[in-house]
Amino acid sequence: KSFTNYLIDNKESGNYHYIQTDRYGFTNIDDEWDKNIVEALVLGDSFLRPGGNNDNISTYLKKLISENKKLKRDRKKGSIIQLGSSGGTLHEYALVKEYMNNKKVKNLILFYFESNDLTNLQNELKDPILKKYFEQEKFIQNLIYKQHIVDNMYDNYEIVKLIRNNAANGAFAKKTTSQRIKERYKFEWSRFVKLYALRKLIIEPKENKPIDEFKILLKKFKKLTKNNNTNFYFVYVPEINRYLKNFELNGASKYYKDVIKILKDLEISTIDLNKELYLKASNPLKYFPLESFGHATINTNIAVSKIIYDRIYNNE
């Protein structure tokens, strides 16, 4: 929902803080939308949001750009917008079409998480609306002009109503903030292990992933960016299983070579974090919270932002 405060939890680090969404429900400073030129558009899932809008990748890109005098002058003309949201590559393609239709975007940075983005695409291709974005080049819903409808749908969403009702009238309302956080985010290792095993059986099915459709989708991204004179960068994000002993890769992660080959064949500029960050470290696990499962840490975001900055602005 637009212009709304949310309590954001980073369970891996124990951080809890509020963020305010912008006019379209994303986690940007709202006046970034007032500029017609977008210096960088960042797309991806929760990998982009370990700490809300205060220490995400977009924030660190802004800091690096502000340290460059020439880019700092250009920055006054252009914005950095992050459309981090749950979903896969098709969902992110739809977001670009919906929210960047009237903007001049200099650089588009697409984050791809190997563990689930192909699986997400598999599910997205079954969604009747998302499928239209895939099959119909000119399909668009003009969501950027319908935020009042989005907000109304959010307010009338049954799960949201239930949470609000419990918070206002239930025992939950009588507890302190500390008690609420402890109860809501209590972590049980035995349950985690069981759910992980179940996830391997259910969420990561053994059938083939839609690698051919993924290639078609990347062609669409390339065509869209080329037509708008936008530089397109693909950031490959590996899962932790690559660096843990006695852990198998998730089904989608086994397509690593296939994805890299597609990117090479399509001549898409690729930032492979597996090679350019994790494998260069003596201990790749340091880029994960407590060297275990979870989202990227703040230090990871700083390192990734530097790699992206160097690739775009220093041609490294």
Side-chain angles (χ1 to χ4, degrees):
K1 186 178 178 180
S2 62
F3 297 125
T4 305
N5 286 322
Y6 288 93
L7 177 66
I8 298 297
D9 61 279
N10 182 357
K11 294 185 281 292
E12 293 97 345
S13 67
N15 294 328
Y16 300 86
H17 57 273
Y18 282 97
I19 63 167
Q20 186 183 50
T21 54
D22 59 33
R23 67 190 69 175
Y24 300 121
F26 298 102
T27 55
N28 300 289
I29 304 302
D30 187 67
D31 60 10
E32 294 288 300
W33 291 99
D34 293 331
K35 302 170 184 177
N36 291 324
I37 298 175
V38 178
E39 179 67 30
L41 170 64
V42 186
L43 294 163
D45 58 15
S46 55
F47 179 86
L48 298 178
R49 301 191 298 173
N53 56 1
N54 296 318
D55 49 27
N56 57 38
I57 286 174
S58 296
T59 302
Y60 293 118
L61 271 178
K62 291 176 187 177
K63 289 180 180 179
L64 290 169
I65 289 174
S66 68
E67 294 169 1
N68 183 311
K69 291 183 179 180
K70 180 182 182 303
L71 291 175
K72 186 177 182 180
R73 290 195 300 270
D74 293 342
R75 172 79 178 89
K76 294 178 180 179
K77 302 176 184 177
S79 60
I80 294 181
I81 291 179
Q82 177 169 291
L83 302 184
S85 181
S86 299
T89 314
L90 180 53
H91 180 216
E92 288 148 6
Y93 175 71
L95 289 177
V96 175
K97 295 192 70 176
E98 292 292 346
Y99 292 96
M100 291 293 116
N101 195 34
N102 59 346
K103 301 279 187 184
K104 164 60 181 173
V105 181
K106 290 185 178 181
N107 302 290
L108 187 149
I109 305 163
L110 174 64
F111 279 77
Y112 169 89
F113 182 46
E114 67 173 357
S115 179
N116 61 22
D117 272 354
L118 274 181
T119 302
N120 287 341
L121 177 58
Q122 197 166 27
N123 295 325
E124 288 169 342
L125 288 168
K126 298 174 184 177
D127 184 282
I129 295 178
L130 287 176
K131 195 173 181 180
K132 289 182 180 180
Y133 289 99
F134 184 78
E135 295 179 341
Q136 303 174 27
E137 185 174 342
K138 295 184 179 180
F139 177 74
I140 189 171
Q141 299 183 82
N142 291 311
L143 295 180
I144 198 169
Y145 304 113
K146 300 176 180 177
Q147 189 59 38
H148 63 291
I149 298 177
V150 175
D151 289 347
N152 185 61
M153 289 175 67
Y154 183 90
D155 286 334
N156 288 284
Y157 191 40
E158 290 303 321
I159 293 178
V160 173
K161 286 183 179 180
L162 180 62
I163 292 174
R164 287 176 175 171
N165 183 62
N166 288 342
N169 303 314
F172 184 73
K174 300 177 182 178
K175 296 179 180 178
T176 65
T177 301
S178 177
Q179 287 174 322
R180 296 178 191 179
I181 289 174
K182 286 180 180 179
E183 288 191 7
R184 186 174 180 184
Y185 302 112
K186 184 179 179 182
F187 192 84
E188 299 178 21
W189 275 105
S190 60
R191 187 181 178 200
F192 173 79
V193 173
K194 291 176 183 177
L195 286 174
Y196 182 83
L198 185 63
R199 177 176 177 270
K200 295 288 288 184
L201 293 173
I202 298 176
I203 302 180
E204 288 291 341
K206 294 181 179 179
E207 69 261 21
N208 294 332
K209 303 300 178 184
I211 193 70
D212 293 335
E213 289 82 356
F214 180 72
K215 183 175 183 177
I216 293 172
L217 188 55
L218 284 185
K219 287 181 180 179
K220 291 179 180 294
F221 263 108
K222 185 174 180 179
K223 182 178 180 180
L224 183 65
T225 51
K226 184 178 180 179
N227 289 343
N228 289 284
N229 295 315
T230 299
N231 300 315
F232 180 29
Y233 298 90
F234 184 100
V235 183
Y236 191 103
V237 183
E239 65 165 321
I240 191 174
N241 291 21
R242 286 195 174 275
Y243 318 108
L244 289 171
K245 293 181 179 179
N246 302 319
F247 272 81
E248 291 185 6
L249 289 174
N250 286 308
S253 301
K254 295 176 182 178
Y255 286 80
Y256 171 67
K257 291 182 179 179
D258 300 270
V259 172
I260 296 299
K261 184 179 185 304
I262 288 172
L263 293 165
K264 184 177 180 180
D265 291 345
L266 295 179
E267 298 181 334
I268 293 173
S269 182
T270 303
I271 298 172
D272 183 354
L273 294 182
N274 178 46
K275 290 183 177 180
E276 298 184 42
L277 180 65
Y278 294 92
L279 290 182
K280 285 186 176 181
S282 57
N283 177 24
L285 296 178
K286 72 178 183 179
Y287 292 113
F288 298 90
L290 302 177
E291 298 191 1
S292 186
F293 295 92
H295 295 85
T297 64
I298 292 175
N299 288 334
T300 310
N301 271 3
I302 293 174
V304 171
S305 300
K306 182 65 167 60
I307 292 173
I308 293 173
Y309 174 85
D310 287 338
R311 175 65 62 84
I312 296 177
Y313 301 107
N314 293 332
N315 296 317
E316 292 185 7

